[in-house]
């Protein structure tokens, strides 16, 4: 069985590998996604274990990982928007609709956001934040005499009960709460997945449940973001065909969280 520290170190190593993959091919939306997920996964694991850390240590690590992930937020939002717009175009094959011009505009916006992440200044910030996490990892000392099986089991159980209660009481039109619960579901899902050996039966069941909640909330939060972006782009567009098309897709996205 891997130790807690080994699991954290392996996840950090994956972040470094995914960063290189992104630098090699930033045009690939999957690479942006994989890098962000790698960073957010490690952040979730630290959140799950934070009761065992000194408060300052956790805050420093959490902030560093948060800053590294946020660099790619706008780029990822555009990738999700392009994917949803592509889905709309596929489902509405209309000859008179100038989808090509529409998507050219989107990909131009994506390229601008992508280039922002690749500037020497931004890349240096990412590497600096990750280096701070690496240094903190080196200084961590998990007491192997602790009953980590018990700790993981109890923490999974506690977080599952809290998440289930929040989800059962959730108003899906309350974007702020939906977004918050989505993040809690991610933390629980990633922790159950990576710490599964410490509580096999419990972790497998919880991971599946957390994933379901994460996806349900994710569809709503993505639709909220997409709607806002589409309306903003429509307001900025001088092309009437693009404007109408943007607003059509925006209404489809709005229905996701209003129906």
């Amino acid at each position: 069985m891997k130790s807690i520290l080994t699991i954290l170190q392996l996840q950090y190593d994956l972040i470094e590998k995914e960063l290189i993959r992104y630098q090699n091919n930033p045009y690939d939306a999957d690479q942006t996604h994989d890098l962000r997920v790698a960073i957010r996964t490690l952040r979730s694991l630290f959140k799950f274990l934070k009761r065992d850390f000194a408060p300052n240590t956790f805050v420093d690590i959490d902030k560093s990982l948060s800053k590294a992930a946020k660099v790619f937020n706008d780029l990822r939002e555009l990738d999700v928007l392009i994917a949803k717009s592509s889905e709309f175009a596929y489902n509405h094959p209309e000859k008179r609709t100038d989808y090509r011009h529409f998507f050219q505009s989107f990909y131009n916006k994506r390229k601008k956001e992508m280039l922002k992440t690749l500037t020497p200044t931004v890349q240096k910030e990412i590497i600096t934040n990750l280096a701070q996490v690496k240094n903190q990892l080196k200084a961590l000392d998990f007491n192997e005499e602790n009953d980590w099986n018990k700790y993981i089991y109890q923490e999974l159980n506690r977080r599952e009960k809290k998440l289930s209660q929040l989800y059962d009481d959730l108003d899906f039109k309350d974007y702020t709460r939906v977004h918050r619960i989505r993040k809690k579901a991610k933390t629980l899902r990633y922790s159950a997945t990576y710490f599964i050996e410490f509580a096999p039966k419990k972790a497998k069941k919880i991971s599946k449940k957390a994933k379901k909640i994460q996806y349900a909330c994710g569809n709503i939060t993505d639709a909220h973001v997409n709607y806002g972006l589409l309306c903003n782009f429509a307001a900025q567009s001088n092309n009437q065909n693009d404007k109408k098309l943007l607003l059509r897709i925006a209404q489809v996205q709005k229905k996701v969280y209003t129906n």
Side-chain angles (χ1 to χ4, degrees):
M1 180 186 294
K2 296 186 184 73
S3 68
I4 296 290
L5 185 57
T6 298
I7 292 171
L8 298 177
Q9 289 173 330
L10 286 173
Q11 186 59 30
Y12 179 84
D13 292 343
L14 177 61
I15 292 172
E16 290 191 325
K17 186 180 293 183
E18 293 296 350
L19 179 58
I20 294 172
R21 286 172 174 158
Y22 173 77
Q23 292 166 341
N24 288 342
N25 184 12
Y27 296 93
D28 187 349
D30 288 340
Q31 289 301 150
T32 308
H33 176 64
D34 290 348
L35 175 55
R36 286 178 78 250
V37 169
I39 296 171
R40 293 186 181 280
T41 296
L42 184 58
R43 192 180 177 203
S44 292
L45 299 183
F46 276 113
K47 282 184 178 181
F48 187 82
L49 298 167
K50 69 179 181 180
R51 290 185 172 189
D52 197 63
F53 297 137
N56 289 342
T57 299
F58 171 74
V59 170
D60 289 344
I61 292 173
D62 190 61
K63 283 185 177 180
S64 295
L65 289 171
S66 177
K67 289 177 182 178
K70 282 181 179 178
V71 168
F72 306 96
N73 281 2
D74 291 344
L75 182 58
R76 177 57 187 166
E77 286 180 357
L78 276 172
D79 284 337
V80 173
L81 182 62
I82 290 170
K84 286 298 180 182
S85 299
S86 297
E87 183 180 305
F88 180 91
Y90 180 85
N91 292 328
H92 299 81
E94 302 161 0
K95 288 185 177 180
R96 294 182 181 180
T97 302
D98 190 3
Y99 284 116
R100 186 181 300 176
H101 180 266
F102 170 81
F103 281 109
Q104 181 181 25
S105 175
F106 266 6
Y107 279 105
N108 286 339
K109 294 179 189 297
R110 187 197 189 277
K111 185 176 181 180
K112 288 181 180 179
E113 290 300 331
M114 178 193 75
L115 291 175
K116 288 179 184 179
T117 70
L118 297 171
T119 63
T121 299
V122 172
Q123 285 292 307
K124 183 178 179 180
E125 289 176 358
I126 295 170
I127 293 170
T128 298
N129 282 310
L130 292 180
Q132 289 173 349
V133 175
K134 188 173 186 177
N135 290 334
Q136 291 279 16
L137 264 174
K138 290 179 180 178
L140 290 178
D141 182 21
F142 290 94
N143 188 346
E144 296 301 325
E145 294 182 1
N146 288 351
D147 189 344
W148 287 107
N149 295 74
K150 182 179 180 181
Y151 177 97
I152 299 296
Y153 182 92
Q154 291 179 339
E155 190 65 8
L156 285 173
N157 195 50
R158 183 184 73 82
R159 287 175 179 268
E160 179 199 18
K161 287 182 179 179
K162 185 175 182 180
L163 178 64
S164 295
Q165 183 177 358
L166 289 171
Y167 187 70
D168 289 341
D169 298 335
L170 181 60
D171 176 1
F172 286 97
K173 294 181 181 180
D174 185 342
Y175 170 77
T176 302
R177 289 182 64 82
V178 172
H179 182 57
R180 189 181 304 129
I181 290 174
R182 181 190 189 185
K183 291 193 291 185
K184 289 183 178 296
K186 282 184 179 180
T187 295
L188 184 58
R189 177 192 170 193
Y190 295 150
S191 300
T193 300
Y194 283 81
F195 297 138
I196 190 169
E197 292 185 6
F198 292 90
K201 293 182 180 179
K202 189 72 173 177
K204 186 176 182 180
K205 180 180 178 182
I206 288 178
S207 177
K208 185 177 180 180
K209 183 176 182 180
K211 181 179 179 180
K212 183 178 179 180
I213 293 175
Q214 176 192 336
Y215 280 20
C217 293
N219 286 335
I220 293 172
T221 55
D222 285 348
H224 263 278
V225 173
N226 289 339
Y227 177 76
L229 289 173
L230 288 162
C231 288
N232 287 338
F233 291 154
Q236 297 167 13
S237 178
N238 294 321
N239 184 301
Q240 291 303 311
N241 288 329
D242 283 358
K243 187 184 292 285
K244 290 178 182 179
L245 186 54
L246 287 162
L247 292 176
R248 279 181 65 193
I249 302 175
Q251 289 306 310
V252 171
Q253 290 297 292
K254 189 176 182 180
K255 288 180 181 179
V256 174
Y257 60 88
T258 56
N259 288 353

